[in-house]
Amino acid sequence: MVNETKAASRDTRVDLLGIELENPIIPASGTFGYGKEFSELYDINILGTFSFKGTTLEPRFGNPTPRIAETPNGMINAVGLQNPGVIAVRDKELPDMKKFFHKPVMANISGFSVEDYAKTVEILSGQDQIGWFEVNISCPNVHGGGMAFGTDPQMAKKVTEAVKKVADKPVIMKLSPNVTDIVAIARACEEGGADGISLTNTLLGMRIDLKTKKPVIANKMGGFSGSAIFPVALRMVYQVYEAVKIPIVGMGGVSSAKDAIEMMMAGATAVGVGAANLTDPWVSKKIVEELPEVMEKYGISSLKEIIGAAH
Amino acid sequence: MKEAIFEIRENKKIAKNTYEMVLAGDTTAIEKPGQFVNLKLEGFFLRRPISVCDYETGSAHRDGRGAAEQATAGSAAQGRLTLVYKAVGEGTEKMAALGAGTQLSVLTGLGNGYAQEKAGDAPVLIGGGAGIPPMYALCKALMASGGKKVQVILGFNTKDEIFYQEKFEALGAEVHVATADGSVGEKGFVTDVLAKLEYTYFYACGPLPMLRAIEKTAKSDGEYSFEERMGCGFGACMGCSMKMADGSYKRVCKEGPVFGREEIAW
Ligand SMILES: Cc1cc2nc3c(=O)[nH]c(=O)nc-3n(C[C@H](O)[C@H](O)[C@H](O)COP(=O)(O)OP(=O)(O)OC[C@H]3O[C@@H](n4cnc5c(N)ncnc54)[C@H](O)[C@@H]3O)c2cc1C
Ligand SMILES: Cc1cc2nc3c(=O)[nH]c(=O)nc-3n(C[C@H](O)[C@H](O)[C@H](O)COP(=O)(O)O)c2cc1C
Ligand code: FES
């Protein structure tokens, strides 16, 4: 009982670009849909917020199946950004979401050209349900030989500038870890006017089926995530924190309140939870509920105070 | 959907590479045959989807509960769940090695299930290999609804793989067996039997080539269960999407795994 009262007084609030989050926990894009499936399991208003499924200008069916493979302590996905397109998100998903989610949501955006990104963000500007744009630059640039925007500092900067021109909300650039110098990309985004950085997206990975001698995933390669990538993601958040002044949403392999706090100590202001939601649908709720106890255990009175504490 | 801890009561081999696992736990989220459960196995990141083969509805899961738990659970019936699975890879091999008393986290009540109301008075249920288990729960439910002649076609490669024939017979169904090598029953495929039967509606589950062959043979309306590799099993990840005849997409785990014949883009 004594511990419970103490735990209850722990301050889990953080400020993410002018919006106060009740706690730093944010289910990551692509693992939480547009919130509906989870709202049937628990009241998702207990979350800091969530980042909705990567949305593109046009509707996309995505890649052929199989899209999923298993790895030790993780998984690989090649969903291929299946989504109903930005117009349907604005006209249907957002109004539906209003019924069960009453906080500002993070709008995750993808594109295949600089213009795509800008148009998509423009269409979603003026929507008061949206609190932030999270711009996923792990996508291939169709005008750039298919190289991902997020692997070239100049391209990353260009996308940032184009989006910033039309966005009516803070812009968080979501980085790809599949680069030699994550810091250079983060700096380029900051120079381009980004308000925040989120990282990391999935690592490029693959599995081969020994029986068929063929890749498990139809697309051959896919995005590797889950607890296996936690140390890599944590290291990148740590490096980026040293290099930029803007706040960071840290993610990659988080599956417990302890992981979330570790991510914050590396430099994250808020923490994304991805693949863990798929294997334990209640995990984000559990993390939110466990935070005060873990804070108690490590003598943390306010989460704000531990952001970047490891530096 | 519900998550519950189930306890293995029995786990035994019933045919070549084929096992039957009986679990006790809260089955109240299971609505109908054709749905599946998603099992968490120690040492594996993703859950394993397995069809509901048989179930008894109830919420209690332990015989040896503590007094306090007994009191709150009152006289709640014990839920029972039977799964029949083939050991085909690392996860299912691990499952086959689990003993009675092992506890597993299970997500229950997943997927849509079969449209039993469409059966008519002489439905045929077609199962091939690992596609047979969901047909058992369906057969039981259709027999219980009364006044139906339920016909079942079970397809196997060979004699050693045969399971559940007598269990379907015990339900009172008319059972036909087809083996690819002719070691038991009709020599050939389930479609060789299907071509000779009269039926009002069909339900089919099995490997994709079998479903395609049925699509060419079947004379009535019907429905198929599909399999896909799953990230979540409850509609969150879009890992299991399937393109439909009308150009839309559906999730095998949520809008499926059962789809009407007319919905499918073959
Ligand atoms: C809705 C549904 C119901 C099912 N019902 C049954 C059943 O009643 N009895 C039965 O024997 N089998 C059933 N299966 C197939 C069963 O899920 C796979 O055989 C099992 O997941 C294989 O796991 P593994 O670790 O042994 O194989 P591995 O090949 O080592 O598994 C690697 C990964 O691929 C996935 N995977 C491999 N094969 C399949 C498959 N055929 N379908 C979906 N995912 C697969 C696994 O889940 C795992 O994530 C069903 C599948 C689905 C989708
Ligand atoms: C099935 C799946 C789909 C994803 N889709 C998106 C997406 O649409 N947009 C995006 O920015 N990131 C997407 N991601 C990446 C996650 O948001 C997250 O950055 C990454 O998975 C690392 O976190 P984790 O290890 O906790 O999963 C996806 C991840 C998974 C597993
Ligand atoms: S397996 Fe995740 S949506 Fe179907």
Side-chain angles (χ1 to χ4, degrees), chain B residues 66-164:
Chain B
E69 260 182 290
Q70 284 281 19
T72 47
S75 56
Q78 190 172 90
R80 264 184 193 263
L81 171 66
T82 303
L83 307 175
V84 170
Y85 60 96
K86 286 211 162 202
V88 295
E90 284 184 36
T92 45
E93 276 160 18
K94 160 114 191 191
M95 266 175 82
L98 297 175
T102 309
Q103 300 202 342
L104 297 175
S105 153
V106 186
L107 294 177
T108 56
L110 305 176
N112 59 348
Y114 297 114
Q116 291 165 51
E117 68 284 359
K118 293 187 179 163
D121 46 20
V124 58
L125 281 49
I126 315 160
I132 291 170
M135 292 301 159
Y136 183 73
L138 176 63
C139 185
K140 204 173 178 181
L142 291 175
M143 291 304 301
S145 69
K148 288 184 184 18
K149 175 187 170 193
V150 180
Q151 309 166 84
V152 177
I153 311 174
L154 306 176
F156 303 95
N157 289 312
T158 182
K159 195 175 159 194
D160 315 344
E161 293 180 2
I162 296 180
F163 63 91
Y164 266 46

Side-chain angles (χ1 to χ4, degrees), chain B residues 7-236:
Chain B
E7 191 171 288
I8 299 178
R9 283 297 148 79
E10 209 181 352
N11 189 23
K12 61 171 198 257
K13 192 169 183 173
I14 55 169
K16 187 180 164 198
N17 291 335
T18 311
Y19 298 80
E20 182 188 63
M21 183 184 277
V22 181
L23 301 122
D26 182 348
T27 54
T28 52
I30 302 175
E31 291 157 9
K32 51 178 161 167
Q35 290 189 312
F36 65 98
V37 301
N38 219 354
L39 301 174
K40 179 83 190 155
L41 301 172
E42 206 190 310
F44 294 88
F45 189 79
L46 296 176
R47 290 172 181 263
R48 295 299 187 270
I50 304 287
S51 304
V52 171
C53 173
D54 194 10
Y55 67 108
E56 282 165 36
T57 304
S59 56
H61 80 288
R62 302 280 282 280
D63 293 331
R65 284 165 170 263
E69 260 182 290
Q70 284 281 19
T72 47
S75 56
Q78 190 172 90
R80 264 184 193 263
L81 171 66
T82 303
L83 307 175
V84 170
Y85 60 96
K86 286 211 162 202
V88 295
E90 284 184 36
T92 45
E93 276 160 18
K94 160 114 191 191
M95 266 175 82
L98 297 175
T102 309
Q103 300 202 342
L104 297 175
S105 153
V106 186
L107 294 177
T108 56
L110 305 176
N112 59 348
Y114 297 114
Q116 291 165 51
E117 68 284 359
K118 293 187 179 163
D121 46 20
V124 58
L125 281 49
I126 315 160
I132 291 170
M135 292 301 159
Y136 183 73
L138 176 63
C139 185
K140 204 173 178 181
L142 291 175
M143 291 304 301
S145 69
K148 288 184 184 18
K149 175 187 170 193
V150 180
Q151 309 166 84
V152 177
I153 311 174
L154 306 176
F156 303 95
N157 289 312
T158 182
K159 195 175 159 194
D160 315 344
E161 293 180 2
I162 296 180
F163 63 91
Y164 266 46
Q165 179 181 355
E166 65 300 338
K167 291 199 70 163
F168 279 98
E169 284 165 355
L171 292 176
E174 179 188 302
V175 182
H176 305 266
V177 171
T179 50
D181 67 357
S183 48
V184 175
E186 176 97 14
K187 178 173 163 52
F189 301 107
V190 291
T191 42
D192 297 318
V193 178
L194 184 66
K196 296 178 197 160
L197 299 184
E198 294 296 326
Y199 47 91
T200 48
Y201 195 77
F202 72 86
Y203 301 91
C205 183
L208 196 55
M210 180 188 111
L211 304 188
R212 288 187 199 278
I214 293 170
E215 182 58 21
K216 291 204 184 90
T217 311
K219 294 169 295 219
S220 70
D221 286 345
E223 52 197 65
Y224 300 95
S225 305
F226 282 81
E227 275 185 4
E228 191 47 83
R229 290 195 178 232
M230 294 182 173
C232 66
F234 57 92

Side-chain angles (χ1 to χ4, degrees), chain A residues 21-101:
Chain A
L21 304 182
E22 212 174 303
N23 61 67
I25 304 306
I26 307 180
S29 178
T31 63
F32 217 72
Y34 294 92
K36 184 166 177 297
E37 289 74 20
F38 291 86
S39 73
E40 290 164 7
L41 305 179
Y42 62 92
D43 178 7
I44 64 172
N45 292 290
I46 62 150
L47 300 165
T49 179
F50 73 94
S51 179
F52 67 51
K53 174 69 202 167
T55 296
T56 53
L57 192 56
E58 304 294 337
R60 283 175 59 84
F61 173 70
N63 291 323
T65 56
R67 296 175 172 183
I68 304 286
E70 191 177 47
T71 76
N73 289 312
M75 62 179 284
I76 297 175
N77 88 85
V79 168
L81 291 169
Q82 177 174 344
N83 78 91
V86 66
I87 300 291
V89 168
R90 185 192 63 190
D91 297 345
K92 177 157 191 318
E93 300 296 343
L94 282 175
D96 281 355
M97 198 187 294
K98 232 181 213 156
K99 296 176 199 141
F100 52 81
F101 190 61

